[in-house]
Amino acid sequence: MDLFNNIKEITNVEYTHGSKEMGADIILNRNDSVLGVEEYIAIVAKAVPIKQDFTDVQRQIEECYLFDITIESGKKKVQISEVWVVCSKNITSNAQEKIYAIFKDKKVKFIGVDILIKLIDEHFSDFWNSENIQMFQYFKKLKDKKDKTQEAFKFQLVLSTLLFKIDV
């Protein structure tokens, strides 16, 4: 939650996970500077890969839009304007396409590992110096794996280019 608290456009972060969450694990308040109104973003948080069987994610997104969400210790009910599916593992493109198709009239965004790492780098770089060593090690491995994959891809591209030039 510290990550979202450090994003200047987010004005409030509320943890709502539990038996009465109505699909949303976290609610973000964001000021719409153009219209001067507050928008409410529901976070559907997952720590497992989102693949072909995404029924739980679908149910949570449906609940976010179907029900008013109670925030501020039950003092306020709000309607969700956007849902972010945040996953610390992989979200397959097939699952994303299907979810987009199901919710084509709603605003749903996916925040997978790559975007999550970028957000941490930009808004919460102290996370990498965190005392929560297990979480740090997990994200460091993800970041290192991403970096290695990018380097391998660049190497393959250079090698392919060289081999093409040799063949010509």
Side-chain angles (χ1 to χ4, degrees):
M1 293 208 340
D2 289 336
L3 168 62
F4 298 114
N5 280 319
N6 284 313
I7 299 174
K8 70 177 182 170
E9 292 81 5
I10 305 297
T11 58
N12 189 46
V13 178
E14 187 167 333
Y15 182 75
T16 56
H17 180 71
S19 60
K20 296 184 180 186
E21 71 182 34
M22 296 302 175
D25 296 309
I26 300 170
I27 300 294
L28 307 177
N29 300 29
R30 179 178 62 192
N31 244 348
D32 181 329
S33 59
V34 174
L35 299 176
V37 296
E38 198 160 44
E39 297 178 320
Y40 299 95
I41 301 166
I43 301 285
V44 173
K46 294 294 169 198
V48 296
I50 300 173
K51 298 180 180 179
Q52 199 68 15
D53 181 18
F54 52 80
T55 52
D56 190 44
V57 174
Q58 181 179 346
R59 176 194 55 78
Q60 284 186 268
I61 295 170
E62 286 170 353
E63 288 178 0
C64 288
Y65 284 114
L66 188 60
F67 301 107
D68 287 346
I69 308 287
T70 303
I71 61 171
E72 297 175 11
S73 302
K75 296 177 188 169
K76 187 174 184 179
K77 286 190 177 245
V78 298
Q79 290 184 325
I80 298 302
S81 56
E82 189 172 330
V83 174
W84 294 356
V85 179
V86 179
C87 185
S88 61
K89 304 275 187 191
N90 185 42
I91 307 170
T92 66
S93 57
N94 195 17
Q96 287 183 44
E97 287 176 28
K98 287 183 177 182
I99 291 170
Y100 281 137
I102 292 167
F103 296 101
K104 60 183 157 205
D105 61 332
K106 304 291 184 197
K107 205 168 183 183
V108 177
K109 294 182 180 174
F110 293 93
I111 299 176
V113 172
D114 291 342
I115 296 172
L116 202 52
I117 289 170
K118 182 181 171 202
L119 288 171
I120 291 169
D121 283 345
E122 288 178 18
H123 301 284
F124 190 44
S125 59
D126 287 345
F127 174 82
W128 302 120
N129 304 321
S130 173
E131 291 181 17
N132 184 347
I133 195 68
Q134 289 175 334
M135 184 78 76
F136 169 76
Q137 288 172 340
Y138 170 74
F139 276 103
K140 177 116 175 56
K141 280 182 188 176
L142 287 176
K143 187 175 182 181
D144 290 346
K145 186 176 180 181
K146 178 185 167 235
D147 292 344
K148 284 179 185 175
T149 303
Q150 285 177 336
E151 287 301 314
F153 177 74
K154 287 177 188 174
F155 178 73
Q156 277 186 322
L157 190 60
V158 168
L159 188 60
S160 296
T161 304
L162 288 172
L163 290 175
F164 178 75
K165 285 180 180 179
I166 292 170
D167 283 345
V168 175

